[in-house]
Amino acid sequence: MAKKQQTSKRLNSVAALEALRKAIVASRDPDKPCITVCGGTGCLALGARDVIAGFKREIEKGGLEGKVSLKITGCPGFCEKGPLVVIKPEDILYQQVKAGDAAEIISETVKGNIVDRLLYVDPNTGKKTTYESDVPFYKKQKRLLLGSNSSIDPTVIEDYLALGGYAALGRALSGMTPEGIIDEVKKSGLRGRGGGGFPTGAKWETCRKAEGEKRYVICNCDEGDPGAFMDRSLMEGNPHSVLEGMIIGAYAVGSHEGYIYVRNEYPLAVKNAEIAIEQAEEYGLLGRNILGSGFDFSVKISRGGGAFVCGESTALMASLEGKVGEPRAKYVHTVEKGLWEQPTNLNNVETWANVPLIIKDGAGRYAKIGSEGSKGTKIFSLVGKINNTGLIEVPMGITLREIIYGIGGGIPEGKKFKAVQTGGPSGGCIPDSFLDLPVDFDQLDKAGSMMGSGGMIIMDENSCMVDIARYFINFLEGESCGKCLPCREGLKRMSQILTGITEGRGKDGDIDLLERLSATLVDCSLCALGSTAPNPVLTTLRYFRDEYEAHIKDKRCPAGVCKALVTYSIDEEKCPGCGLCAKACPVEAITDMGKKKPAILDKEKCIKCGACYDVCNLGAVIRK
Amino acid sequence: MVTLTIDGRKLKAEEGKTILQVAEDNNIYIPTLCFNEAVKAYGACRLCLVEITRRGREKLVASCLYEVEEGLKVKTGSDRVVANRKMLMELLLARCPNNKEVQDLARKLGVEETSFQQDDNQCILCALCVRVCQEVVGVSAISLVNRGVDRQMGTPYYEPSDVCIGCGSCAYVCPVGAIKFEDIGDTRYIKWPNNKMEFKLKKCKTCGSYWIPERQIEYMMEQTGLPPDTFDNCPDCRD
C-alpha cells in the first residue's frame, strides 16, 4: 500500500510538476494569517522551541487551526534579535519573542492587529518598524537566496514547490542541453562561493570534458570557520534549493552520483538534507528517470568528523573515500581526477543554491547584479563587535561601510570601528581606511584579504590586532593536518612568536622573521590552508605595524588587551573613594579607603582582569 | 617525449615523469627528504620545490609530484627557491636540532642555525616508514597518529603491534635515522621514536646465525605459499 502511494506521488513530466505546483498554490489561502517562527540554530538557542510550543498550545486551546497557521522556517538572518516571528502575508516582524507572547500574538493577529511592543525599534532613531522589509538590517540586503527562508518549512517540499521550486530543473531537463546549461552558468559570471572564486561554468565545462568512467558532483557543506554559518543556514533553511542546483549541475556535467559532505556538528543541516533527498526522490525529482527525462541522478549524504581541513576539496574527497582527510597536491585538478580518481565537480552550498536562480531567470538577469568581476549576491555572517549580528545577503560590490553601518547598525556602545576580518580565520584584517572598499572577490584580494566563504568579523577600538593575529594563527595551528612541513612546523613557530610578543617577550627581528616565515608558508604549503594561513599576520603587519612595534619595543599593548603588558593603577586626583572598583575586584587587590580617600591598588595581587577599569565611570582607574 | 629546460639545460624527457625524476636522470641535484622511489610521491617535506614558469607566471611546485610538460622551464636554485628552502631547513632544524642527517642537510643548503625555539625530535614526519609499511610490505603496522602539530608516528595506541613482522623496512627507509634497528643474539629490537618492539629471530640451520624474525617467515609463507623449509637457511647458506 505504502509503495503504491509512493508511485502515485511520482512526477513523470515537467507538465506534471507544473500541474502539481498549481494544485499546491490553489489549495492554500494566501490571505490566511501564517505565523512563521525561525527554527534556525540561532533562534533555537535563544529559546525558539518554547515559542513554537507556546504557539501550538494557544492555537489548539482556541481551536484556531482554521484561522491561523503556524510554520517553522529556516533562518531569516537577524539572529541578534531572535527568536524571530514573522506574520505572513504582511511580513510583520516580531523580535525577541518569548513563549509568553504567543497568546497575544495569536489573538491580535486573528483580529488583524499588530502587537506594538514586539516590533523592532531602531536604537539610533528610536523609531518602530512594523514590516520586515523596512527594518534597516534588511533594507539594504538583496536576499535572492535567503529571502525564501522565512516562507519555507524546510521539511515540506510543497513549500518550496509553491514558490517556484524545481522550475529551473524542469526548464533544464526539458529545453536545455548540458552544454547550454554550462553556457548559461558561464554567462551568469557565477564564481565559486567556497572561497576560491573560480568561475563555476568553466569548472563544469572542464569536468564534463574530462575523461573518466564516471563523474561525481559534490556539495561542500563542511563549513568550519569560527563565526561562520552561511552554508549551515542555507542547508538548514532551504535544502531543496541546494539539491535543485546539484541536480542541474549533475545533468550539465554528466554525473549520476552526488554527495553532500556535511559536518556532523550540523545536526539540523544533516536532518533537513536527508528529508529533502527523501522527498525529492518520492516526487521523482531525484533517482531514476527524473521528471520523465531519462536522466538519472542520486545523492547521498556523507557526514564529516569536524576537521577544518576537510573543507579543502582534496581532503574532503579523501575523507569521502574513507581515508584520513588530508589534502594532496592539485597539479591534476579534481575536475579531472577527483573522487575515486574520477572527474569530480565540487561546489560549495551557496554556489549550488545560486544555480536554480540562473537557470530559472536567465544568466542575463543574474549578471546584472553585482560588480564587474563578481556577479550575484554573497551571504556573509556578520559577527563580532557589531550591533546587528546575523546573516546577511548583499549584492557583490556593496561597500564595507554599507554593510557595517547600514546593515550592521554600527559598533556597539558607540565605539570606534577598527578592522574587519573577512574570509574566515585565514582571511585578512582590513582597517577603516578601506571602509569604502567595494566587497567582491578581486577587491578583497587586493586589500590583502579574501572573500573566503563569507565570514565577516568586526573589531572595535578595544581589539588588539597582535592578539587577533595570534588567535587566528592558534586556530589554524590546531587545524593544520600536519602533512606538509611549512604548515605544521611554520604555524607552530608563528604561534610561538606571536604569543611571545603578546606576553612581553617580543624582540627585535620578530617582525622580520614573521614576514619571512609567512612568505614560505604562502609559497610552499601543500594546500590553501597553509598558503592562506599567514593572511591575518601579513595584513595586521601591513595595516597595524605600529601595534606590533609598541608590543615589541615599548612593551605596551595600545588596546589594553594583552595582560602581560598592561598595568592598572588608581589616579589619586580623580578617585572619589566610592569603592566600586574594590567591590568589583575578584581578588581583593583594591582596598576601599572610605569616601574622599583614593582607593589603593596592590599591583602584586592584581590579576589584570580589568573589572575595576570597566566599573569606574570617572576615569580614575588608569590602564597603561 | 617532451622538451623542457632545467637550469638552462635543454632536456628531453618521457611524458609522465616528474621534474625530480628527470633532474635525477640528468644529475641535477634537488634536495628531498620524503621521496623514495619505492613508494608513491607524497609531497610533504617541500624541500624539492622548484620554480617553474607557466603561462608567463612563475610559481613553486613540488618537483616530486609535478609531471614534465612540453616547453616547461624549471629553475632549481632561483633566489625564491633558495630562500624558501633555507626557511624550511630552519623549521626542520628547530624540530630536530640534534639529528645528524638534518644538521648535515641544513649545512649543505647553507643553514647553520635556526631562528626558532628548539624542540628535540628525531622524526621529521616524512611518513616514508608508514608508506613503505603500507605500500611495499603491505601490513600497515605503523601509521601517523594525531593531527597537525601533535602528529607522531607509531603503532596503534603505541602498543606492540599484532601485525608488525619486524622486517625493519621502516628503519631502512628512514632518511634521518630516527628509527633504530638492532639484532642482538636471538632478538631483533626496533625502536621507533615513540615506542619499541622485540622480535624473536630464526637461526640458520647451516651457519647458526640469527637472520630473520619468525613473524616475517610466517608472513612470507602466507603471502607466497612457500613451504617452511624454504627459510631453513639464511641467504648466504642457500644452494
Side-chain angles (χ1 to χ4, degrees), chain A residues 531-573:
Chain A
S531 65
T532 58
N535 278 340
V537 176
L538 289 172
T539 48
T540 48
L541 275 173
R542 180 164 155 191
Y543 301 121
F544 301 96
R545 202 179 189 92
D546 53 333
E547 284 194 34
Y548 280 84
E549 281 163 358
H551 280 76
I552 295 170
K553 287 184 189 144
D554 315 335
K555 305 292 173 214
R556 186 172 64 80
C557 173
V561 171
C562 299
K563 272 191 191 177
L565 303 177
V566 171
T567 49
Y568 289 89
S569 55
I570 306 287
D571 185 335
E572 291 181 7
E573 303 276 301

Side-chain angles (χ1 to χ4, degrees), chain A residues 57-334:
Chain A
R57 211 165 37 234
E58 291 301 323
I59 292 173
E60 208 174 298
K61 210 165 81 186
L64 295 165
E65 289 87 351
K67 288 192 172 162
V68 61
S69 45
L70 178 69
K71 189 178 286 196
I72 321 304
T73 73
C75 170
F78 202 5
C79 310
E80 181 76 37
K81 297 290 177 188
L84 301 169
V85 170
V86 178
I87 310 295
K88 305 263 172 188
E90 299 93 340
D91 284 336
I92 300 160
L93 173 72
Y94 295 135
Q95 42 117 45
Q96 295 177 325
V97 177
K98 294 187 179 62
D101 300 325
E104 191 183 352
I105 291 177
I106 289 181
S107 64
E108 293 305 306
T109 301
V110 171
K111 284 185 241 163
N113 295 338
I114 288 163
V115 186
D116 207 52
R117 65 181 178 87
L118 293 173
L119 294 177
Y120 172 75
V121 184
D122 190 323
N124 299 322
T125 60
K127 220 182 102 188
K128 269 187 183 161
T129 313
T130 307
Y131 302 105
E132 191 186 61
S133 55
D134 292 336
V135 173
F137 175 77
Y138 289 113
K139 225 173 178 175
K140 286 202 168 171
Q141 294 192 44
K142 189 161 182 72
R143 299 195 295 152
L144 296 182
L145 302 175
L146 290 176
S148 322
N149 268 19
S150 63
S151 306
I152 291 176
D153 177 338
T155 63
V156 178
I157 188 173
E158 289 79 8
D159 280 4
Y160 183 64
L161 290 170
L163 292 177
Y166 290 103
L169 177 66
R171 186 167 178 239
L173 292 180
S174 60
M176 295 175 84
T177 60
E179 290 80 7
I181 293 169
I182 290 172
D183 208 38
E184 201 69 14
V185 175
K186 274 166 108 177
K187 273 190 215 152
S188 74
L190 178 64
R191 292 170 69 174
R193 301 297 196 241
F198 193 81
T200 307
K203 190 173 186 176
W204 289 16
E205 189 170 45
T206 318
C207 186
R208 180 169 182 80
K209 286 182 179 163
E211 273 177 44
E213 290 157 31
K214 259 184 166 184
R215 284 182 173 68
Y216 296 101
V217 295
I218 297 174
C219 171
N220 184 350
C221 187
D222 193 56
E223 184 175 55
D225 298 0
F229 50 107
M230 299 77 56
D231 297 343
R232 169 182 213 159
S233 296
L234 268 177
M235 196 56 101
E236 287 178 355
N238 197 352
H240 283 287
S241 67
V242 183
L243 215 47
E244 187 180 2
M246 284 181 77
I247 306 168
I248 295 170
Y251 175 65
V253 303
S255 162
H256 304 291
E257 229 175 295
Y259 289 89
I260 295 175
Y261 188 91
V262 48
R263 56 197 307 223
N264 203 33
E265 295 95 320
Y266 281 1
L268 190 59
V270 173
K271 186 178 142 215
N272 287 358
E274 274 169 357
I275 294 170
I277 290 172
E278 211 173 284
Q279 292 174 340
E281 280 170 350
E282 262 181 87
Y283 275 111
L285 297 160
L286 258 184
R288 294 205 155 272
N289 194 16
I290 294 171
L291 290 175
S293 66
F295 172 63
D296 306 333
F297 179 62
S298 61
V299 174
K300 288 192 190 112
I301 290 175
S302 178
R303 287 181 289 180
F308 178 73
V309 73
C310 284
E312 198 277 342
S313 60
T314 57
L316 186 153
M317 288 176 203
S319 169
L320 250 177
E321 291 174 8
K323 297 175 186 153
V324 177
E326 281 173 7
R328 61 157 177 82
K330 284 202 271 193
Y331 303 139
V332 178
H333 295 296
T334 51

Side-chain angles (χ1 to χ4, degrees), chain A residues 425-427 472-473 476 487 491 494 521-522 528-537:
Chain A
S426 45
F472 285 115
I473 294 302
L476 293 163
C487 180
L491 285 173
M494 209 176 255
L521 259 84
V522 172
L529 192 157
S531 65
T532 58
N535 278 340
V537 176

Side-chain angles (χ1 to χ4, degrees), chain A residues 437-566:
Chain A
L437 182 87
V439 176
D440 70 12
F441 286 107
D442 311 313
Q443 297 290 335
L444 285 174
D445 258 12
K446 267 188 215 161
S449 187
M450 60 183 196
M451 182 73 85
S453 57
M456 211 173 250
I457 302 172
I458 313 296
M459 290 156 236
D460 70 8
E461 56 190 286
N462 291 355
S463 309
C464 165
M465 300 315 286
V466 185
D467 187 57
I468 293 282
R470 183 200 57 79
Y471 169 81
F472 285 115
I473 294 302
N474 256 351
F475 173 84
L476 293 163
E477 181 196 1
E479 293 297 339
S480 162
C481 79
K483 181 175 176 178
C484 82
L485 185 146
C487 180
R488 183 190 65 233
E489 304 295 329
L491 285 173
K492 179 180 178 174
R493 302 307 167 194
M494 209 176 255
S495 177
Q496 283 173 347
I497 298 169
L498 289 166
T499 305
I501 297 175
T502 57
E503 289 178 356
R505 287 178 276 112
K507 52 184 185 301
D508 270 355
D510 275 358
I511 292 180
D512 173 62
L513 188 57
L514 280 174
E515 281 175 330
R516 285 193 297 127
L517 184 54
S518 296
T520 292
L521 259 84
V522 172
D523 257 358
C524 305
S525 295
L526 174 64
C527 83
L529 192 157
S531 65
T532 58
N535 278 340
V537 176
L538 289 172
T539 48
T540 48
L541 275 173
R542 180 164 155 191
Y543 301 121
F544 301 96
R545 202 179 189 92
D546 53 333
E547 284 194 34
Y548 280 84
E549 281 163 358
H551 280 76
I552 295 170
K553 287 184 189 144
D554 315 335
K555 305 292 173 214
R556 186 172 64 80
C557 173
V561 171
C562 299
K563 272 191 191 177
L565 303 177
V566 171

